[in-house]
Amino acid sequence: MTASARTLDFAGLSEPELVQLARLGRGEAFGVLMQRCNQPLFRTARSVMRDDTEAEDVLQEAYVRAFQKLGDFRGDSSLLTWLTRIVLNEARDRLRRRRAMVELDAVERAQEAGQVLVFPSGQAAGDPERDAARAEARRLLEHAVDELPEAFRLVFILREVDGRSVEETADSLGVLPATVKTRLHRARRMLRESLNAKLASALDGAFPFLGARCGRITEAVLARLQATGLAVA
């Protein structure tokens, strides 16, 4: 490896350049791509799973699956949009597998002991790193968003919390832009019914993606990619 390659400023590279280097197995390129996408993708995973820990697991698995077939990424959309679809598929598949297992277990338990298995609520514990003065407001807001039906919850997270455009959101979810607008309007209306207007100022801090979590996911995925030979240190 040449000195220029070793001192390459990966953080300053464009997305296409990073994708090309990632295809060549450069671990630094994978790391920068994940750091750029971690927060919005974590929010997407959490909007389906409604649990921080499970969202982390989903994101790690989705990254590994995506990077294993990075050659399929043609650049027709942004990498974030492409990854969002993979994260959504992974999260929804996980929920379907879990529900199938829960239903089977429930039948067996009912036959044996007459008991019904309660599906876990998925409520996440409070994060002590959050600012104390706004923590309760954010918890109330996050709880209200969690209670939205999934179709409206996803649109709200992508548009209002993550700041994606109508077109990006529509492309990520595979729906029409008009559908995004309609669902966002209904999501806002449902939230207004359950939240006081004074909580609006807490929105920017909702679903935070803290440095420790970002680093943990990036390191874990890189370790898995290196173990399979897909990336080099």
Side-chain angles (χ1 to χ4, degrees), residues 62-230:
Y63 270 140
V64 172
R65 291 176 183 269
F67 290 149
Q68 286 174 339
K69 56 181 180 180
L70 192 57
D72 295 341
F73 175 63
R74 298 188 302 273
D76 297 334
S77 61
S78 70
L79 182 70
L80 178 60
T81 296
W82 185 71
L83 289 171
T84 297
R85 298 187 193 117
I86 296 173
V87 168
L88 284 172
N89 287 337
E90 175 64 27
R92 287 166 172 166
D93 285 347
R94 183 168 298 213
L95 285 182
R96 280 193 291 269
R97 291 194 300 269
R98 177 200 288 167
R99 286 166 182 159
M101 292 176 63
V102 167
E103 290 169 2
L104 178 60
D105 197 16
V107 171
E108 293 175 348
R109 286 173 180 269
Q111 291 174 338
E112 296 175 1
Q115 297 177 349
V116 177
L117 185 64
V118 179
F119 190 77
S121 65
Q123 296 301 317
D127 193 326
E129 295 184 53
R130 292 178 181 175
D131 179 74
R134 302 172 68 188
E136 182 61 25
R138 285 201 296 270
R139 280 194 293 270
L140 289 172
L141 180 60
E142 290 174 0
H143 178 73
V145 174
D146 280 345
E147 291 302 308
L148 291 173
E150 182 181 297
F152 303 104
R153 187 168 68 246
L154 279 168
V155 168
F156 184 84
I157 290 290
L158 295 183
R159 287 284 292 120
E160 295 285 24
V161 180
D162 206 27
R164 301 199 207 181
S165 68
V166 171
E167 291 72 21
E168 284 180 301
T169 303
D171 195 14
S172 296
L173 300 180
V175 299
L176 295 173
T179 302
V180 170
K181 295 177 182 178
T182 299
R183 290 180 182 176
L184 179 60
H185 175 74
R186 292 187 62 186
R188 287 170 174 166
R189 186 177 64 190
M190 285 186 279
L191 285 174
R192 280 197 299 268
E193 293 172 354
S194 62
L195 291 173
N196 188 285
K198 67 182 180 181
L199 296 181
S201 61
L203 181 59
D204 288 342
F207 302 105
F209 194 84
L210 303 177
R213 176 176 289 133
C214 181
R216 183 168 60 246
I217 289 178
T218 300
E219 291 172 6
V221 174
L222 277 177
R224 291 179 63 180
L225 295 177
Q226 290 165 2
T228 59
L230 192 62

Side-chain angles (χ1 to χ4, degrees), residues 21-33:
L21 287 170
R23 285 171 174 158
L24 296 175
R26 294 299 300 270
E28 302 96 324
F30 284 117
V32 173
L33 288 172

